[in-house]
Amino acid sequence: MDLILSGIVLPLLWWELSSAQVVYSVSEEVREGTVVGNVAKDLHLTPQDLEARRFEVVSGQEYFGVSLKTGALFVSGRIDREALCSKAQKCSMRVEAMAQNPLVLYRIEVNVVDINDNAPLFTTGRHILNITELSAVGERFTLPAAEDPDTGSNAVKSYKLSPNDHFALEVQAGEDSVSVEMVLKKVLDRETQPVINLILTALDGGRPPLSGTLEIVVSVLDVNDNPPVFSQSLYKVKMMENAAPGARVLSLSATDLDEGPNGEIVYALVRQSSAKNSELFSINPQSGVITVKGELDYEVDAAVELRVEAKDKGQPPKSSQCKVLVEIVDINDNPPEIVVTSLSGSVKEDCREGTAVALFTVSDKDGGKNGVVHCSIVGLVPFKIESSYKNYYSLVVNGPLDREDVAVYHIAVKATDEGTPSLSSTSVLTVHIADVNDNMPLFPEPFMNVYVKENSPAGVVIGNVRAQDKDVSENAQISYALIGGLPFIDINSETGDIYSKQSFNYEELKRLQFQVQATDSGSPPLSSNVSVSVFVLDENDNSPVLLAPYSEAGSVSTESVPYSAEAGYFVAKVRAVDADCGYNALLSYHLTEAKGTNLFRIGSSSGEIRTKRRMSDNDLKSHALVVTVSDHGEPSLSATASVEVVVVESVERVQPSLRQVPLKEEAFSDLNLYLLIAIVSVSGLFLLSLVALAAARCCGSGGALGSCGAPVVTAHPDGSWSYSKATQQYDVCFSSDTLKSDVVVFPSPFPPPADAELISINGGDTFTRGHTLTSAGKM
């Protein structure tokens, strides 16, 4: 079938943008793919605009589609005019198309042109007429009319009767229907021809025309020669659509000049092509009163045409017909109907005001004021309703949106008509607010401290950072990274767990400083930083180390004491150092005598060995002493030194015996001289090395409690990291009286851990473990 196209562009206002309405025409039943018109050209768009703006048909897509490459509007489904518009003279389809960026709705009206695809059809295939032979020439007999779903020129246009000698056909065309009557042109003679068989053919106005036939059987009867006659051929009456069943509509009256049974009239509704009229009304056969039988609905039929037949009881009976037009009066019995044609699943929270969120139509089946509808939004929301075209509306943004405050809006749209009383309906439009990345990850605090014990295994989790992001989905997916690489620390990018890459030694490394950056997955991503300080906590993993001359393992040092020594005589001093710090490096000295009376004592803090009393004849001449040096760690570590104290008459007298060896002159050769010089040189160098080591590790005149210098490693944002040597010393100062001394331990440069505790030693010495050590004695 040929395509009939025509384009008419009408001005139309859509939201804040200017658009147009295009009118096309297309024949029904065209094949799929038939081009209706070029939408891009008529809407002043280019094919590139169609693709870029995602041009699509949103209403009527089951019948039409648009080619994004050519801009052509084409048929995508079967178009049956009779199914769409029934008997309406004009069949118009409204197609809605939408383009985005900016969002614009285009109205396209397609007029469906009828084609002659339906033949006229009679409701029955056979019609019987009983006509008396006394019927006068010119008498008319109403025949059933054929129905044709097509309209216009394709509807029923003419009838023809098969050739015969007695009847001619007369067609009367009204505004909405065509009545067919058969006119007697020659007197009937039952005795000559009791039955006449005719064919009635109905032709439509198509090219070529289609037809339908009806077999007419005329039975020629005798006697009754006067038909009933109505007072008028057309009756008009109005009925409210809420009329109850049984309500009186109209009383009809017909007269018959005959007498007896030939003058007794029976009324009946003539069944036409549609049976719904007989379902809505009924007529009393004797009185001719028409009453309501079914439910009247103005929205289904605004007017109902009835055909009433009056038939007498003669043999054969005579009949006549009249028309009754019942106008249905509308009442406000239909609430407005809201139909959402397009609803955005979500709208970004940073969208500008005026952005369209949803498109919807509002209709009311009632007429007049009962069908006039007004729309409004129930409650306070940042949206408003704009009327775009007739009963088309759009829901647009009318204020700032913030997903973190309100993530979903349930917008109640209320439509109210102007009827009395007015009816209304409400539809809830759900609008989800789409998140944009407008919130950066935030840490609870800008700084945090992490504590790890030294000697902890590599790979252990030492801390955790956690940031929160008010956004959702990808915008709230946080990854963690170290700013500036460190060889000692790494971080899990997903969980924020900080773990060590090696075991820490407090004596080498005391504190690490670095920054952790939390970055979300938004576009563009947002981030924030937290400064992390890792403090290494000291463990008691170093034993005390004795200094020369008591440092050689297994050796016994000999010291001399004169017999005349008074109480408090200085015998020797044992010194030791501990690589640990704080409480773990606080040393105490204890003396163990193998045998003999209690002659010697040692300062628990100084390590000085002195006599407790004067010598007596009962005392041994030689005393083996064992000095134990212990730290205060848990568990405590210790070292021992052996000292042999020999009691002599005089120190000057005993020295030659200890240091001089009688040699025979003749036995002292040159080789022995060289060997002696070498031994003395090596011994001197070794002694100087020990003295230098002791001087480096000991501070003050009395000796060192512990030297706790350790570097601080700091990571920089540029990716570099550096060491800074932070030295922590514990200086021990002694008075001339070892028993009365002050011990001052300087504090650590970082805050104490949560488990720090205050400890008292010997009843008077107090310090905070791992932080500050102070010992005060009597002066």
Side-chain angles (χ1 to χ4, degrees), residues 64-84:
F64 299 96
V66 175
S67 173
L68 298 182
K69 294 184 178 179
T70 64
L73 178 69
F74 60 90
V75 177
S76 62
R78 178 174 177 263
I79 301 176
D80 186 356
R81 184 188 182 284
E82 289 70 38
L84 292 173

Side-chain angles (χ1 to χ4, degrees), residues 31-32 62 66 71 77 89 118 149 161 163 186 206 219 240 317 334 382 449 467 525-526 532 579 601 620 664 735 764:
R31 66 180 180 275
E32 295 184 11
E62 65 269 34
V66 175
Q89 291 297 321
N118 293 280
L161 192 62
K186 183 180 179 180
S219 297
M240 301 296 291
N334 289 280
N449 297 331
L526 301 178
V532 181
R601 61 179 175 83
L620 298 175
K664 294 182 178 181
S735 64

Side-chain angles (χ1 to χ4, degrees), residues 509-513 533-536 711-714 724 726 749-751:
L509 183 64
K510 183 176 300 182
R511 182 177 61 185
L512 292 174
Q513 292 178 339
S533 297
V534 178
F535 296 99
V536 181
V712 175
V713 180
T714 304
S724 61
F750 57 86

Side-chain angles (χ1 to χ4, degrees), residues 501-701:
K501 297 171 66 175
Q502 68 177 40
S503 179
F504 294 101
N505 188 349
Y506 177 85
E507 289 71 40
E508 297 177 358
L509 183 64
K510 183 176 300 182
R511 182 177 61 185
L512 292 174
Q513 292 178 339
F514 56 90
Q515 285 188 326
V516 175
Q517 184 177 73
T519 306
D520 59 31
S521 300
S523 179
L526 301 178
S527 62
S528 63
N529 301 338
V530 62
S531 296
V532 181
S533 297
V534 178
F535 296 99
V536 181
L537 302 180
D538 183 45
E539 292 286 314
N540 192 27
D541 56 347
N542 292 281
S543 299
V545 177
L546 295 168
L547 300 179
Y550 308 106
S551 58
E552 185 176 352
S555 65
V556 179
S557 299
T558 303
E559 301 292 344
S560 300
V561 178
Y563 180 78
S564 60
E566 297 291 334
Y569 181 83
F570 177 82
V571 178
K573 183 173 183 177
V574 178
R575 295 186 299 173
V577 295
D578 195 312
D580 293 321
C581 288
Y583 195 69
N584 296 325
L586 179 62
L587 303 180
S588 59
Y589 299 84
H590 305 280
L591 186 62
T592 302
E593 292 182 338
K595 59 182 178 178
T597 59
N598 188 9
L599 183 60
F600 301 96
R601 61 179 175 83
I602 189 170
S604 62
S605 300
S606 64
E608 293 182 353
I609 302 175
R610 294 179 182 271
T611 58
K612 287 185 177 182
R613 54 180 174 81
R614 288 181 59 84
M615 301 288 181
S616 66
D617 295 337
N618 296 328
D619 292 326
L620 298 175
K621 300 302 180 181
S622 177
H623 300 268
L625 304 180
V626 178
V627 179
T628 300
V629 184
S630 302
D631 59 28
H632 287 75
E634 293 181 2
S636 177
L637 302 178
S638 62
T640 58
S642 297
V643 179
E644 183 177 4
V645 180
V646 178
V647 180
V648 296
E649 292 295 330
S650 161
V651 175
E652 290 77 8
R653 293 177 57 187
V654 76
Q655 285 179 349
S657 63
L658 294 175
R659 298 181 179 180
Q660 295 180 4
V661 180
L663 297 174
K664 294 182 178 181
E665 185 176 351
E666 59 273 345
F668 191 78
S669 63
D670 294 338
L671 179 62
N672 293 334
L673 177 62
Y674 296 149
L675 181 60
L676 179 60
I677 293 173
I679 292 173
V680 171
S681 300
V682 172
S683 299
L685 290 175
F686 179 71
L687 181 61
L688 289 175
S689 299
L690 291 179
V691 172
L693 177 62
R697 301 192 64 180
C698 296
C699 301
S701 61

Side-chain angles (χ1 to χ4, degrees), residues 313-464:
K313 296 182 179 180
Q315 293 295 329
K318 285 182 176 283
S319 64
S320 63
Q321 295 182 358
C322 71
K323 292 182 181 179
V324 177
L325 182 61
V326 181
E327 296 182 13
I328 309 300
V329 180
D330 181 49
I331 63 171
N332 194 24
D333 59 343
N334 289 280
E337 182 180 1
I338 301 174
V339 178
V340 179
T341 59
S342 177
L343 177 62
S344 298
S346 61
V347 59
K348 290 187 176 181
E349 60 179 323
D350 62 346
C351 70
R352 60 184 177 87
E353 291 189 16
T355 301
V357 177
L359 307 175
F360 59 93
T361 59
V362 179
S363 60
D364 195 314
K365 294 180 181 180
D366 296 321
K369 285 190 174 182
N370 296 333
V372 178
V373 181
H374 302 281
C375 292
S376 62
I377 294 178
V378 179
L380 297 177
V381 292
F383 297 91
K384 67 178 180 179
I385 295 176
E386 291 184 352
S387 176
S388 56
Y389 176 74
K390 291 184 179 179
N391 61 334
Y392 291 88
Y393 299 88
S394 57
L395 180 69
V396 299
V397 177
N398 191 38
L401 303 177
D402 190 349
R403 189 209 60 82
E404 287 71 39
D405 290 338
V406 180
V408 180
Y409 285 95
H410 300 285
I411 305 169
V413 177
K414 185 177 182 180
T416 306
D417 60 30
E418 293 185 358
T420 304
S422 63
L423 300 178
S424 63
S425 60
T426 303
S427 179
V428 177
L429 305 181
T430 300
V431 178
H432 295 268
I433 308 303
D435 184 50
V436 297
N437 194 25
D438 57 348
N439 290 278
M440 68 174 62
L442 294 178
F443 290 96
E445 299 291 340
F447 304 95
M448 69 172 294
N449 297 331
V450 175
Y451 300 92
V452 57
K453 292 183 179 180
E454 70 169 326
N455 303 321
S456 297
V460 67
V461 175
I462 63 175
N464 176 270

